[in-house]
DNA sequence: TAGGGTTTT
């Protein structure tokens, strides 16, 4: 096969005047093909319709002119065995014939690695394929480059935050995170670099993919040569085809093994106990095979692991093999996460992976025979009336349950135990999960859309339009932050703010920071506020962890404390051991180092000076606290009683979160976030002086805007105080 | 005086 003679690429496409889009294309355009398609570059056999069939290709790589490597032949064999390979002509034909095609297929069908390549080989000039996760973009691009026997970063590449392994001209197939493609659209509203865009894992409905879909729908009519493929898991629905005006649906079934779904006969009262019993049942009654079970969070998982390890010790006495119990959640150190991919220890033990939703989408563990699905997950919800985002344990969707079940059929036939009744599955679980865009505040989405040149947000064609209240809240916040004007138009400040990959309040703090002469500190803080909590506090060593934290404390500011932690981390050369001794999460801190570097270079590019009062300056933290207030000006609270504060305007009674280092109950604080857990808490707070509020010269603290109430009285008191100080009487 | 699912720019 590989030695068969190939035909030189004929002029077929030019001859019939058809481009891949089925639209006339001038020869001038056609002649702009990159060198890889020159006849001398020896491409594969043209099957007569413009599709190059590498089955009859030569033993020289058409893209490099080099002989193929041994790895190439090995991978080529595997690739041809993929289900999607059989459908390649069908896929190419459909994409040529239609502007948008929806392609469904399970993980394992090979759609992510193969479809973009089919389209490249069919003659598309620049193909981009989005992924929701960085790690997927990297690993898929690497794989495809290997399969095509080309150097990664040349013909095939990837672009993710902090890492661009692509060539501006030579890269013709690029994998990117969805957020990254959205960023690219900031510079190039029409995404004119690409003639083919693939949105992969669209069923996950990430914020960025949703915005991209809306954007692309806008672009399609003005870019007649653009073709789009929306790829998703098979979830039996026509949501995408409807949204894209009856786009054709192709199904590329994956190589899935059957999964036997077993329901409970009666509703389960205590799912934790039911999970434990189900593991015991499987271990004692069912054949060998690893178990994956889903729980909602770290604490639940660590508890369950303890229980199961205890059980494992007891069964050993009864002559049963041991369990190898492994937790899996994203906050777990990477080395611990890796353990779920290793063989069971001792050999022959039954592996039990106790996981959060990471195992539903991000991490795929092969060799699972049993899935236990209690039907719950934590999910973020946003309440626009209180402006609070919170995590809530809630029932999963039918789609999510299907995804979980599928995890048992990846390498062999499996069983999924659903710890709820079949009736509950049909009547109580909603069909789909709420997409992210309906569950979070929209400040950044609005800013992004404005930056993309979309002015009419009301008529923007979201697949699922967000609630009007949420939209209004976002517009209001952006207005007070100075990003939008009275006409809801982007201000110069807003244009600048949209560039930053940060929450809008953090961005505002950052761009204000040179004015407070503390931009060095502000950049550090911005990075620290953008990563997960750096303080580790294991339940059984809580006191020890608290004692260690004391070393970094600046007693009137959690924000300043975070800066101190970061600076200590840098001083200790990013040392992982130092982190673990000090109960700090080194992964989060390293991430903060990267973010800080990126932000500092952005500030420099924008001509915003990096300055600091110096680490010994007595007013260092005062400046930082004022600067935080400049960004988080809508998030202040005043003291009412004991540990209780009241938020300004909304007048919610909130507690100071117990993790705060601020203990002396200052009259006014600025807070980073409002969390709803076992109570209402404000978390990551700093003391502020009330007169700073009026010095912000913002409408937000204009007393005439306040009805008579606690907020007004608190502000009046503060204003009175200000007057008294001015007259030297206080 | 406590709990944070997952991901991205």
């Amino acid at each position: 096969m590989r030695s068969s003679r190939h035909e030189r690429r004929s002029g077929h496409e030019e001859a019939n005047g058809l481009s891949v889009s089925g639209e006339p294309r001038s020869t001038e355009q056609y002649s702009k093909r990159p060198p890889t398609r020159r006849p001398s570059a020896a491409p594969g056999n043209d099957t007569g319709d413009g599709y190059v069939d590498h089955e009859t290709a030569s033993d020289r790589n058409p893209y490099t002119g080099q002989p193929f490597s041994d790895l190439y032949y090995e991978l080529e064999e595997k690739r041809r065995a993929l289900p999607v390979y059989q459908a390649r002509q069908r896929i190419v034909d459909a994409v040529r014939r239609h502007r948008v095609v929806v392609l469904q297929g399970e993980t394992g069908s090979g759609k992510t690695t193969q479809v973009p390549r089919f389209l490249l080989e069919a003659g598309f000039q620049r193909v981009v394929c989005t992924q929701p996760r960085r790690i997927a973009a990297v690993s898929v691009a690497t794989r495809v480059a290997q399969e095509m026997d080309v150097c990664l970063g040349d013909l095939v590449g990837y672009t993710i935050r902090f890492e661009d392994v692509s060539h501006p001209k030579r890269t013709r197939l690029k994998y990117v995170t969805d957020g990254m493609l959205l960023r690219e659209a900031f510079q190039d509203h029409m995404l004119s670099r690409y003639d083919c865009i693939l949105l992969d894992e669209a069923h996950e409905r990430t914020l960025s993919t949703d915005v991209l879909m809306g954007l692309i729908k806008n672009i399609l009519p003005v870019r007649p040569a653009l073709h789009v493929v929306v790829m998703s898991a098979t979830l039996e629905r026509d949501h995408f085809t409807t949204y894209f005006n009856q786009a054709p649906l192709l199904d590329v079934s994956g190589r899935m093994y059957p999964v036997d779904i077993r329901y409970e006969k009666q509703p389960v009262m205590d799912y934790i106990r039911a999970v434990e019993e189900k593991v015991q049942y499987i271990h004692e009654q069912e054949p060998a095979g690893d178990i994956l079970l889903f729980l909602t969070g770290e604490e639940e998982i660590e508890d369950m692991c303890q229980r199961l390890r205890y059980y494992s010790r007891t069964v050993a006495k009864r002559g049963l093999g041991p369990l190898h119990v492994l937790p899996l959640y994203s906050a777990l150190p990477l080395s611990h996460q890796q353990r779920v991919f290793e063989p069971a220890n001792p050999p022959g033990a039954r592996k039990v992976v106790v996981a959060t939703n990471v195992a539903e989408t991000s991490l795929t563990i092969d060799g699972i025979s049993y899935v236990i699905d209690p039907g719950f997950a934590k999910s973020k919800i946003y309440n626009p009336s209180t402006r609070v985002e919170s995590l809530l344990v809630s029932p999963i969707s039918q789609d999510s349950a299907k995804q979980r079940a599928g995890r048992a059929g990846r390498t062999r036939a499996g069983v999924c135990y659903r710890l709820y009744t079949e009736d509950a599955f049909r009547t109580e679980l909603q069909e789909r999960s709420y997409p992210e865009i309906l569950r979070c505040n929209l400040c950044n989405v609005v800013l992004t859309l404005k930056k993309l040149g979309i002015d009419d947000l009301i008529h923007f064609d979201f697949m699922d339009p967000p609630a009007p209240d949420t939209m209004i809240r976002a517009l209001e916040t952006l207005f007070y932050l100075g990003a939008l004007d009275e006409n809801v138009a982007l201000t110069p400040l807003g244009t600048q703010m949209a560039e930053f990959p940060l929450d809008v309040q953090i961005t505002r703090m950052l761009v204000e920071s040179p004015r407070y002469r503390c931009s060095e500190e502000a950049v550090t803080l911005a990075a620290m506020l953008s990563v997960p909590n750096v303080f580790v506090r294991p339940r059984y060593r809580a006191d020890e962890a608290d004692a260690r934290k004391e070393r970094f404390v600046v007693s009137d500011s959690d924000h300043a404390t975070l800066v101190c932690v970061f600076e200590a981390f840098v001083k200790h050369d990013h040392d992982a051991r130092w982190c673990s001794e000090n109960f700090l999460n080194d992964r989060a801190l390293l991430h903060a180092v990267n973010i800080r570097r990126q932000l500092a270079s952005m500030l420099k590019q924008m001509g915003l000076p990096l300055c600091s009062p110096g680490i010994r300056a007595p007013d260092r933290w005062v400046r930082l606290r004022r600067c935080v207030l400049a960004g988080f000006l809508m998030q202040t609270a005043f003291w009412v009683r004991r540990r209780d504060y009241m938020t300004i305007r909304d007048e919610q009674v909130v507690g100071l979160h117990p993790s705060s280092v601020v203990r002396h109950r200052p009259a006014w604080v600025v807070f980073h976030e409002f969390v709803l857990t076992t109570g209402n808490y404000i978390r990551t707070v700093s003391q502020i002086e009330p007169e700073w509020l009026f010095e912000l010269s913002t409408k937000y603290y204009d007393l005439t805007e306040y009805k008579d109430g606690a907020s007004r009285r608190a502000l009046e008191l503060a204003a009175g105080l200000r007057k008294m100080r001015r007259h030297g009487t206080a």
Side-chain angles (χ1 to χ4, degrees):
Chain A
M1 209 160 42
R2 50 177 123 125
S3 61
S4 69
R5 284 176 54 86
H6 71 272
E7 296 282 324
R8 251 183 7 132
R9 210 190 147 70
S10 71
H12 235 95
E13 286 191 16
E14 297 101 307
N16 61 21
L18 281 180
S19 72
V20 286
S21 59
E23 293 148 8
R25 189 191 244 176
S26 75
T27 47
E28 187 188 83
Q29 270 177 310
Y30 190 75
S31 68
K32 281 184 188 156
R33 278 175 186 281
T36 50
R37 303 290 280 184
R38 277 201 312 258
S40 61
N45 195 19
D46 193 325
T47 52
D49 53 6
Y51 181 73
V52 182
D53 186 357
H54 281 269
E55 255 178 78
T56 52
S58 79
D59 52 5
R60 278 191 180 268
N61 190 333
Y63 301 108
T64 59
Q66 299 294 312
F68 285 119
S69 68
D70 289 343
L71 180 65
Y72 169 84
Y73 294 112
E74 193 188 315
L75 296 179
E76 185 66 13
E77 203 171 312
K78 285 190 184 148
R79 167 174 112 83
R80 289 186 186 190
L82 289 168
V84 72
Y85 194 82
Q86 306 312 313
R88 69 193 192 287
Q89 194 61 59
R90 204 153 50 93
I91 293 166
V92 168
D93 288 345
V95 177
R96 282 179 175 156
R97 224 171 283 139
H98 301 93
R99 304 292 307 287
V100 182
V101 171
V102 180
L103 200 132
Q104 289 196 338
E106 293 307 326
T107 336
S109 63
K111 63 183 188 323
T112 306
T113 50
Q114 304 308 312
V115 176
R117 177 175 170 185
F118 296 159
L119 298 169
L120 186 73
E121 288 169 345
F124 281 98
Q125 296 303 295
R126 272 185 207 279
V127 179
V128 66
C129 178
T130 66
Q131 295 294 318
R133 281 167 289 280
R134 293 159 50 87
I135 189 159
V138 177
S139 61
V140 173
T142 309
R143 175 73 182 201
V144 173
Q146 280 175 346
E147 286 184 355
M148 294 176 75
D149 219 5
V150 296
C151 206
L152 182 66
D154 209 67
L155 181 76
V156 179
Y158 66 87
T159 307
I160 59 176
R161 187 184 190 184
F162 309 129
E163 243 183 294
D164 182 8
V165 183
S166 72
H167 187 277
K169 293 225 164 62
R170 290 204 296 273
T171 299
R172 292 182 51 214
L173 169 51
K174 192 161 75 164
Y175 288 89
V176 298
T177 44
D178 49 7
M180 209 65 209
L181 188 61
L182 207 49
R183 295 252 130 195
E184 232 182 280
F186 279 3
Q187 316 304 327
D188 176 9
H189 292 357
M190 293 291 131
L191 291 167
S192 54
R193 281 171 57 82
Y194 306 105
D195 54 353
C196 184
I197 299 173
L198 298 101
L199 303 175
D200 200 5
E201 313 287 3
H203 63 278
E204 287 189 26
R205 302 291 309 279
T206 65
L207 212 49
S208 295
T209 294
D210 267 21
V211 174
L212 278 171
M213 285 198 291
L215 178 70
I216 285 169
K217 237 186 133 168
N218 273 353
I219 294 174
L220 279 165
V222 274
R223 285 205 49 208
L226 176 66
H227 288 249
V228 174
V229 182
V230 178
M231 304 202 281
S232 85
T234 313
L235 293 165
E236 296 155 43
R237 80 167 96 99
D238 48 14
H239 213 52
F240 294 106
T241 59
T242 311
Y243 178 66
F244 284 108
N245 307 322
Q246 308 310 319
L249 180 84
L250 286 184
D251 203 300
V252 194
S253 54
R255 271 182 308 185
M256 288 293 295
Y257 293 85
V259 175
D260 181 13
I261 308 278
R262 298 188 194 163
Y263 291 96
E264 292 296 310
K265 300 264 184 301
Q266 297 295 324
V268 163
M269 289 302 144
D270 178 353
Y271 72 83
I272 296 292
R273 193 155 159 197
V275 165
E276 194 181 3
E277 286 170 0
K278 196 59 80 181
V279 173
Q280 294 173 358
Y281 162 80
I282 293 169
H283 194 49
E284 290 165 28
Q285 310 286 331
E286 297 286 330
D290 296 340
I291 303 172
L292 170 62
L293 65 91
F294 288 96
L295 289 175
T296 65
E298 175 177 342
E299 192 175 1
E300 228 176 58
I301 287 169
E302 294 294 352
D303 269 356
M304 181 59 69
C305 286
Q306 291 239 339
R307 287 168 179 238
L308 293 177
R309 285 181 189 129
Y310 174 78
Y311 164 76
S312 176
R313 286 193 294 274
T314 64
V315 288
K317 292 172 199 151
R318 287 152 50 193
L320 272 164
L323 295 177
H324 183 203
V325 182
L326 294 155
L328 182 65
Y329 46 88
S330 77
L332 201 64
L334 279 183
S335 57
H336 289 63
Q337 286 189 9
Q338 291 298 326
R339 288 181 195 160
V340 304
F341 302 109
E342 293 165 6
N345 182 27
R350 193 195 290 267
K351 203 153 75 173
V352 185
V353 178
V354 188
T356 59
N357 265 352
V358 261
E360 192 184 303
T361 46
S362 309
L363 291 169
T364 302
I365 311 154
D366 278 335
I368 296 292
S369 301
Y370 305 95
V371 163
I372 301 174
D373 171 20
F376 292 97
K378 275 186 187 166
S379 57
K380 188 167 70 182
I381 51 165
Y382 175 66
N383 181 345
S385 66
T386 55
R387 278 189 270 140
V388 178
E389 280 182 349
S390 50
L391 281 175
L392 208 67
V393 173
S394 39
I396 60 171
S397 65
Q398 292 180 0
D399 275 358
S400 191
K402 287 175 196 164
Q403 289 283 100
R404 288 180 172 191
R407 295 292 166 172
R410 302 241 332 133
T411 40
R412 71 188 85 165
V415 184
C416 174
Y417 295 92
R418 289 184 174 155
L419 303 184
Y420 39 93
T421 64
E422 188 165 6
D423 192 53
F425 174 82
R426 279 188 283 101
T427 61
E428 288 167 34
L429 300 195
Q430 48 186 13
E431 205 181 328
R432 291 179 285 127
S433 310
Y434 284 114
E436 202 181 354
I437 201 154
L438 302 183
R439 296 185 288 111
C440 62
N441 89 66
L442 293 174
C443 291
N444 285 69
V445 170
V446 168
L447 206 53
T448 299
L449 289 174
K450 287 279 175 187
K451 178 87 178 176
L452 291 170
I454 292 152
D455 286 325
D456 187 1
L457 300 178
I458 308 295
H459 296 102
F460 185 73
D461 193 356
F462 286 109
M463 195 161 173
D464 286 282
D469 280 4
T470 311
M471 194 58 106
I472 289 164
R473 275 295 192 182
L475 294 172
E476 180 196 59
T477 304
L478 290 168
F479 170 72
Y480 283 117
L481 289 177
L484 297 176
D485 63 19
E486 287 87 348
N487 305 315
V488 204
L490 208 55
T491 62
L493 177 65
T495 310
Q496 194 175 41
M497 283 173 65
E499 289 287 331
F500 284 92
L502 297 168
D503 283 347
V504 287
Q505 290 92 342
I506 302 178
T507 305
R508 176 69 205 261
M509 170 188 85
L510 210 50
V511 298
E512 286 290 310
S513 62
R515 187 183 307 219
Y516 297 91
R517 299 188 49 75
C518 65
S519 49
E520 292 278 7
E521 287 78 8
V523 181
T524 301
L525 178 57
M528 288 294 274
L529 292 176
S530 304
V531 299
N533 182 17
V534 296
F535 296 107
V536 179
R537 196 168 183 264
R539 211 187 318 163
Y540 302 102
R541 298 176 71 190
D543 291 345
E544 217 180 321
D546 291 344
R548 289 286 175 157
K549 186 174 170 182
E550 284 300 319
R551 300 176 169 202
F552 308 106
V553 163
V554 177
S555 66
D556 54 11
S557 173
D558 290 311
H559 298 96
T561 302
L562 285 173
V563 174
C564 288
V565 170
F566 183 92
E567 287 174 350
F569 177 66
V570 172
K571 198 171 140 196
H572 286 87
D573 282 332
H574 311 160
D575 183 26
R577 220 178 58 193
W578 177 83
C579 285
S580 98
E581 283 164 11
N582 285 285
F583 292 87
L584 296 170
N585 179 341
D586 67 314
R587 218 181 352 150
L589 280 161
L590 281 171
H591 192 194
V593 169
N594 275 324
I595 295 175
R596 190 191 191 282
R597 196 178 301 134
Q598 185 189 29
L599 297 177
S601 97
M602 290 181 75
L603 284 185
K604 214 186 273 175
Q605 257 179 18
M606 292 180 182
L608 295 167
L610 278 168
C611 49
S612 164
I615 53 167
R616 283 179 221 295
D619 62 348
R620 188 184 191 206
W621 302 132
V622 179
R623 290 174 182 279
L624 185 68
R625 287 188 283 124
R626 294 185 77 132
C627 180
V628 171
L629 177 62
F632 292 82
L633 61 99
M634 302 170 73
Q635 302 192 1
T636 62
F638 51 91
W639 180 79
V640 281
R641 60 184 166 272
R642 293 188 295 276
R643 277 182 76 83
D644 289 345
Y645 281 76
M646 185 175 275
T647 58
I648 197 76
R649 279 214 179 177
D650 293 338
E651 303 193 339
Q652 302 261 328
V653 175
V654 292
L656 211 52
H657 196 272
S659 66
S660 176
V661 302
V662 179
R663 300 287 156 83
H664 60 288
R665 297 169 195 177
W668 284 83
V669 291
V670 59
F671 59 93
H672 174 237
E673 58 187 352
F674 183 147
V675 293
L676 180 63
T677 50
T678 51
N680 290 332
Y681 289 107
I682 47 175
R683 193 160 49 185
T684 314
V685 307
S686 281
Q687 177 180 353
I688 53 169
E689 300 309 319
E691 58 263 34
W692 296 351
L693 301 173
F694 306 108
E695 288 162 17
L696 288 170
S697 63
T698 163
K699 284 200 176 66
Y700 199 69
Y701 293 105
D702 185 345
L703 276 173
T704 59
E705 303 262 312
Y706 285 77
K707 277 185 265 169
D708 195 30
S711 286
R712 190 185 169 114
R713 284 195 299 276
L715 283 173
E716 277 170 351
L717 188 67
L721 213 62
R722 183 166 66 140
K723 248 180 232 161
M724 285 192 333
R725 286 198 188 172
R726 231 188 242 156
H727 292 103
T729 50

